[in-house]
Amino acid sequence: MELVIVESPAKANTIASYLGPGYRVIASYGHVRDLVERDGSVDPDHDFAMRWTVSDTRSREQVAAIAEAAKHADRVLLATDPDREGEAISWHIAELLAARKAVPAGGLARVTFNAITKDAVKSAIARPRHIDQALVDAYLARRALDYLVGFNLSPVLWRKLPGARSAGRVQSVALRLIVEREREIEAFVPREYWTVDGRFEGFAARLVGMDGRKLGKFDLGDEASAEAARARVAMADFKVSSVEVKPATRNPAPPFTTSTLQQEAARKLGLGAAETMSLAQKLYEAGRITYMRTDGVEMAPEGIAGARAAIQRDFAAAFLPEKPRIYRAKAKNAQEAHEAIRPTDFAARPEAHPQDKAERLYALVWKRAVASQMASATLERTTVDLVSGDGALQLRATGTVTLFPGFLALYAEDRDDPDDEDGVRLPKLVAGDQPRLLEAAKAQHVTEPPPRYSEASLVKRLEELGIGRPSTYASILETLKDRAYVRLEKKRFQAEDKGRLVTAFLERFFERYVSYDFTAGLEDELDAISAGSARYQDVLRSFWADFHPLTEQVLEQKPWDIDAALDEHLAPMLFPPRADGADPRACPACGDGRLALRIGRYGPFVSCSNYPGCRYRRSFGANGAATGPETVGTLESGEPIYLKTGQYGRYLEAGKKRVSAPETLGAIDAALARRLLTLPRELGLHPETGKPVIATMGSKKPYVKHEGTYADLEGLEELFSIGMNAAVVKLAEAASRPRFQRQAAVPLAVLGTHPETGAEIRLMNGRYGPYLTDGTTNANVPKGVAAAELALDEALALLAERAAAPPAKGKRKAAKTKPKVKPKAKSTAKTKRAPVTKKALKA
């Protein structure tokens, strides 16, 4: 019996159905080992030796099952995916089997196939090979680099930027792209311009020349000049001076690579990169498409033949080129460039109108692959110039006619920001014609800033810069969203303030490591490792020699030095020039103080230099967005309503009246603000106690309260509509529960074990929010930090900081004396407590 190891159960089931008796197929459930989750797992002092551990309970159970099955097998076939990660999984399994002395007499063999079809699988098994150590080394290098950056740069962020999450090697560069685009948008100054069109029967032509000179984009810069030009066009007679017809050909795009699939799925289907790859994985494991992590555009001969057969079956003869189209990959690393993504069977046509997302993605893959082998589209581009009778005015009309659609009959590639370069179809015109002018019209335009990145355009830009590799793009984008560094708004990435601050910090103190050229160059070095032309230890050594001293140097920086450096770096964003020419740093409260950036325990803010005499403070934000509180409306009395942000979130203020306005409410308009300021609502007196029952808004959600009992409400509608009877029922239900329902026995998560004591590090839910504990020390999770995203090293740092801190004032334990029984011993008891207090303080 031969044992076949693959990654997933779905893949195992498909392959098992092809192989039949004599083979047993087991899934590893992805990677079975990972680096130990603590500092020192990559040791730069010992040639970057790595310490591995079996990832979790399921992996331990699966490794044991694989080892047991291997002992009874004649040979083990490692059939994981045909890329760097797949090679690494096979290497890990081989290492574990060798350590457990479970390698069978027939040994281990590596088999790879680009498509999960019966022929492909059997052909691969007939041609086994050894594990490709160069690909394994490339995996080791990337894993070690990411680890070294994470365990050395992230602690710098935690200490210098409270609330900031970890920084990744490639994610930080992708974040910088998004932040820089945000800066471009903020720095953009809109500019007005006008155009004038002459509208004729059947077409329109634009004014492009006047008085012997070509009109530039901004030559008609205001309405007056545009109106003068329009009037001249309206009064003139025009004749066709020339007609230029040029044939044009448009060729089909090659079949999908990983990045182009992600881009088109985002444009055409509205799918994110991660969802696209998940759906593609399912299609691959079902044997419907070839491997979906690839930077190659070639199709295997059988794929080309299948596509041409589909064209011959479904289209007229003119749509099938005489010779097959051959595409060449532009990938830098040929060893990781596989066949393009295509259907395994072109006879399996997609549904006409698929509704399921996976089916829609399959249809996209099928159409793109078939179109790539179809005939080119034949076009005719026409340019018509018209001149006025006196020769002073020149108009131009452009258009395109599709003479033969070719591949466009099946598939057309979308653009992120489409333009009208193809124009419209023009009527038949020849030189000397005098078409009748129906009217002349002017139109105002305003230049627009560059668009924010969509998932498709960001992936395209990363690929252009050579940053990351196609298989990593989905995880890069997901990481940025998960860390709340960016948000997707109308399918475009918008940088959050936290992301902007992290980028500014990295640009200021780690500029080289977030530069595009350095990151792309490092990718080239990693590719050289996978090609076998470089040693991974040499690449790591070169990186570490500069990176590690820099992290130590930044850690030694004083907080006020960090503040000053970031204040200077972010000045264009925080303190842009004011329209009235006044000093943008002048304090609006006291007048003579200067504003500056400060990094506090709860994050960044802008405050006055005259503190504590002047307590002016505003939130960190782009463009100095809040030079003071935002005015959202007025009360009926005319008193302004301000929307402010405090330590516990947003709130509304009008005079001496304040009420919470949590972020969950979204935008606050004047009507909603006035309604909220009517809170709290007294619903009446409780029937049992005679005390008032109140409905109001909390810092996170609305609630009702009565004598220390609180009950949550569902939303604004219930807040303003709930009556006394419903409130009493809710309060009774709340009162029937334990006052503080602790979850100490059931941790929210177990992050790992303490490297010194071996104690479990648990994330708990407490009365005042989430906290960490090792059984001895408890540490609150700081505000602004996502508890669910805490890593073990972050938790250890918080616990160590709490253990080293002196007892909080007023929290010391009282000495166990009996002053009431023996009053005269009071002084003695006090004397005995002193050493205990000092010892506690020293601890």
Side-chain angles (χ1 to χ4, degrees):
M1 184 268 293
E2 296 200 316
L3 180 65
V4 181
I5 311 297
V6 297
E7 295 96 334
S8 72
K11 187 176 177 181
N13 292 337
T14 305
I15 293 175
S17 68
Y18 296 149
L19 296 178
Y23 292 90
R24 183 181 176 189
V25 188
I26 297 181
S28 70
Y29 291 90
H31 278 280
V32 293
R33 288 200 307 184
D34 201 355
L35 289 170
V36 177
E37 288 190 359
R38 61 171 177 251
D39 198 10
S41 294
V42 177
D43 190 352
D45 296 331
H46 292 85
D47 211 17
F48 298 94
M50 302 184 198
R51 298 173 58 197
W52 303 96
T53 183
V54 178
S55 308
D56 50 34
T57 302
R58 186 176 72 173
S59 294
R60 284 192 289 272
E61 293 173 351
Q62 206 61 20
V63 168
I66 291 171
E68 184 61 28
K71 292 176 182 178
H72 303 287
D74 298 320
R75 183 174 63 156
V76 174
L77 300 176
L78 302 167
T80 50
D81 287 343
D83 59 4
R84 183 181 62 248
E85 291 297 313
E87 208 73 19
I89 293 172
S90 288
W91 174 78
H92 279 301
I93 293 172
E95 292 270 301
L96 288 168
L97 291 179
R100 291 171 179 244
K101 298 182 179 180
V103 177
L108 305 172
R110 176 83 168 106
V111 296
T112 58
F113 33 81
N114 195 49
I116 304 179
T117 63
K118 190 171 185 177
D119 290 344
V121 172
K122 289 194 169 184
S123 177
I125 289 176
R127 299 193 309 274
R129 62 171 174 81
H130 296 295
I131 290 175
D132 188 333
Q133 191 58 45
L135 283 183
V136 174
D137 286 348
Y139 159 81
L140 295 175
R142 288 176 183 274
R143 195 71 190 85
L145 272 175
D146 291 341
Y147 177 91
L148 291 172
V149 170
F151 267 80
N152 289 273
L153 183 53
S154 296
V156 177
L157 281 179
W158 306 332
R159 297 182 192 181
K160 304 303 180 183
L161 295 180
R165 302 293 295 128
S166 54
R169 180 177 62 87
V170 181
Q171 293 93 332
S172 297
V173 183
L175 176 61
R176 184 182 184 183
L177 276 172
I178 296 170
V179 170
E180 285 190 342
R181 179 55 56 88
E182 206 69 34
R183 292 173 187 158
E184 290 176 42
I185 293 170
E186 290 166 2
F188 180 80
V189 178
R191 191 171 176 185
E192 177 187 19
Y193 67 97
W194 292 71
T195 56
V196 173
D197 288 342
R199 296 174 184 171
F200 299 86
E201 291 182 343
F203 71 101
R206 178 148 297 172
L207 179 65
V208 295
M210 191 162 57
D211 299 328
R213 64 183 181 86
K214 182 180 179 180
L215 281 181
K217 183 175 183 177
F218 299 103
D219 283 353
L220 301 179
D222 53 48
E223 186 174 10
S225 59
E227 174 56 29
R230 188 208 66 77
R232 289 181 63 182
V233 170
M235 297 296 293
D237 293 320
F238 292 89
K239 70 176 179 179
V240 176
S241 60
S242 67
V243 178
E244 184 179 24
V245 179
K246 289 184 178 180
T249 300
R250 184 179 295 177
N251 297 318
F256 282 130
T257 62
T258 302
S259 63
T260 55
L261 176 65
Q262 291 172 4
Q263 292 171 46
E264 280 290 83
R267 297 173 187 135
K268 283 182 159 51
L269 307 180
L271 299 177
E275 187 176 14
T276 297
M277 296 309 294
S278 175
L279 294 170
Q281 178 84 33
K282 292 177 182 177
L283 292 172
Y284 165 69
E285 291 177 349
R288 300 182 66 190
I289 65 172
T290 55
Y291 192 55
M292 67 288 164
R293 291 185 178 89
T294 174
D295 47 16
V297 292
E298 305 93 337
M299 279 204 297
E302 61 269 24
I304 294 175
R308 288 176 63 83
I311 298 166
Q312 194 170 26
R313 178 190 64 213
D314 297 342
F315 294 89
F319 287 85
L320 182 66
E322 185 176 336
K323 295 181 180 179
R325 293 185 181 275
I326 305 299
Y327 297 94
R328 299 297 179 192
K330 297 179 181 179
K332 297 178 181 180
N333 187 348
Q335 287 203 10
E336 293 191 296
H338 305 291
E339 185 184 2
I341 304 170
R342 64 168 177 86
T344 56
D345 181 9
F346 283 90
R349 299 186 202 180
E351 300 173 14
H353 302 288
Q355 299 301 314
D356 181 76
K357 289 182 179 180
E359 293 302 320
R360 293 172 68 200
L361 188 65
Y362 175 76
L364 200 65
V365 171
W366 191 93
K367 290 179 180 179
R368 174 83 167 221
V370 172
S372 72
Q373 288 298 318
M374 292 178 73
S376 301
T378 305
L379 312 172
E380 189 177 76
R381 301 188 189 279
T382 304
T383 303
V384 178
D385 284 331
L386 303 98
V387 294
S388 59
D390 59 4
L393 303 174
Q394 181 184 359
L395 305 182
R396 177 167 293 167
T398 59
T400 300
V401 176
T402 301
L403 302 179
F404 173 67
F407 74 93
L408 292 174
L410 178 63
Y411 183 90
E413 187 175 28
D414 280 359
R415 299 171 183 161
D416 293 308
D417 301 292
D419 54 36
D420 298 322
E421 65 174 17
D422 289 342
V424 294
R425 185 162 187 164
L426 299 175
K428 187 70 175 178
L429 295 168
V430 297
D433 283 352
Q434 293 182 311
R436 185 165 68 92
L437 179 67
L438 302 177
E439 67 170 333
K442 66 180 185 293
Q444 181 189 37
H445 309 273
V446 178
T447 55
E448 295 183 354
R452 292 186 173 95
Y453 287 108
S454 63
E455 288 208 14
S457 59
L458 183 58
V459 166
K460 183 177 181 181
R461 184 60 179 147
L462 289 169
E463 190 174 35
E464 290 171 350
L465 292 170
I467 295 169
R469 286 296 176 258
S471 61
T472 66
Y473 292 148
S475 63
I476 290 171
L477 304 188
E478 287 304 301
T479 299
L480 293 179
K481 289 185 284 187
D482 290 345
R483 289 176 180 165
Y485 287 162
V486 301
R487 70 178 184 273
L488 269 179
E489 194 169 287
K490 297 180 180 178
K491 297 186 177 181
R492 298 275 176 168
F493 282 111
Q494 190 163 343
E496 297 281 18
D497 287 343
K498 186 190 297 185
R500 298 184 68 139
L501 187 65
V502 168
T503 295
F505 181 86
L506 295 176
E507 286 175 330
R508 176 61 182 80
F509 296 102
F510 294 90
E511 196 280 332
R512 181 188 183 198
Y513 299 98
V514 290
S515 71
Y516 306 132
D517 290 344
F518 175 80
T519 307
L522 190 56
E523 291 290 347
D524 291 341
E525 292 185 62
L526 293 170
D527 286 345
I529 295 170
S530 63
S533 57
R535 290 183 71 247
Y536 81 88
Q537 292 93 340
D538 294 338
V539 172
L540 294 175
R541 196 173 294 112
S542 174
F543 175 87
W544 186 246
D546 294 327
F547 179 73
H548 183 248
L550 182 58
T551 60
E552 294 292 320
Q553 177 186 333
V554 177
L555 272 175
E556 292 174 2
Q557 295 263 2
K558 301 298 183 185
W560 48 87
D561 292 333
I562 297 287
D563 289 0
L566 290 177
D567 177 81
E568 179 183 1
H569 189 81
L570 288 167
M573 180 192 90
L574 295 173
F575 311 109
R578 294 176 55 170
D580 59 4
D583 182 1
R585 285 185 181 265
C587 177
C590 67
D592 61 344
R594 288 182 57 75
L595 302 180
L597 176 69
R598 296 287 180 265
I599 310 296
R601 179 179 179 183
Y602 301 105
F605 60 93
V606 174
S607 68
C608 179
S609 59
N610 285 339
Y611 179 86
C614 175
R615 292 183 173 271
Y616 175 83
R617 175 173 172 163
R618 78 169 193 241
S619 299
F620 173 86
N623 278 330
T627 53
E630 179 185 352
T631 304
V632 294
T634 59
L635 296 176
E636 293 181 0
S637 63
E639 190 167 22
I641 304 172
Y642 299 110
L643 178 63
K644 299 183 177 182
T645 302
Q647 180 177 339
Y648 302 106
R650 297 192 310 174
Y651 64 93
L652 293 165
E653 183 178 85
K656 295 183 179 181
K657 179 82 178 223
R658 285 186 178 185
V659 65
S660 292
E663 294 286 351
T664 52
L665 296 180
I668 305 288
D669 59 17
L672 178 56
R674 285 193 290 268
R675 197 177 184 196
L676 289 169
L677 284 166
T678 63
L679 298 172
R681 290 177 60 217
E682 183 173 329
L683 306 182
L685 301 180
H686 197 282
E688 296 178 3
T689 66
K691 300 293 178 66
V693 176
I694 304 296
T696 191
M697 176 65 73
S699 62
K700 293 183 179 179
K701 59 175 66 175
Y703 62 89
V704 289
K705 64 179 180 177
H706 167 255
E707 284 204 313
T709 301
Y710 299 82
D712 290 342
L713 299 177
E714 293 302 320
L716 280 178
E717 183 177 347
E718 188 173 23
L719 171 62
F720 287 105
S721 64
I722 190 169
M724 187 64 180
N725 292 339
V728 168
V729 172
K730 281 183 173 287
L731 289 164
E733 291 174 350
S736 67
R737 295 191 293 268
R739 183 166 183 175
F740 303 118
Q741 290 184 324
R742 301 189 179 189
Q743 298 181 11
V746 184
L748 298 176
V750 177
L751 305 183
T753 57
H754 197 290
E756 297 175 2
T757 66
E760 275 192 345
I761 307 301
R762 291 168 292 167
L763 177 65
M764 314 298 292
N765 188 28
R767 176 181 177 183
Y768 300 108
Y771 68 97
L772 297 158
T773 182
D774 61 0
T776 303
T777 303
N778 295 346
N780 290 331
V781 177
K783 291 183 182 296
V785 174
E789 298 176 5
L790 277 172
L792 177 61
D793 49 356
E794 298 173 81
L796 291 172
L798 290 170
L799 286 167
E801 182 180 354
R802 182 67 190 92
K809 186 176 181 181
K811 296 293 185 181
R812 300 173 187 168
K813 289 186 178 180
K816 295 182 179 180
T817 58
K818 300 179 180 179
K820 291 184 179 179
V821 178
K822 298 179 180 181
K824 64 179 182 179
K826 186 173 183 181
S827 60
T828 305
K830 185 174 183 180
T831 303
K832 289 181 178 180
R833 281 200 301 270
V836 176
T837 305
K838 290 179 180 178
K839 184 177 180 181
L841 288 172
K842 288 179 180 178

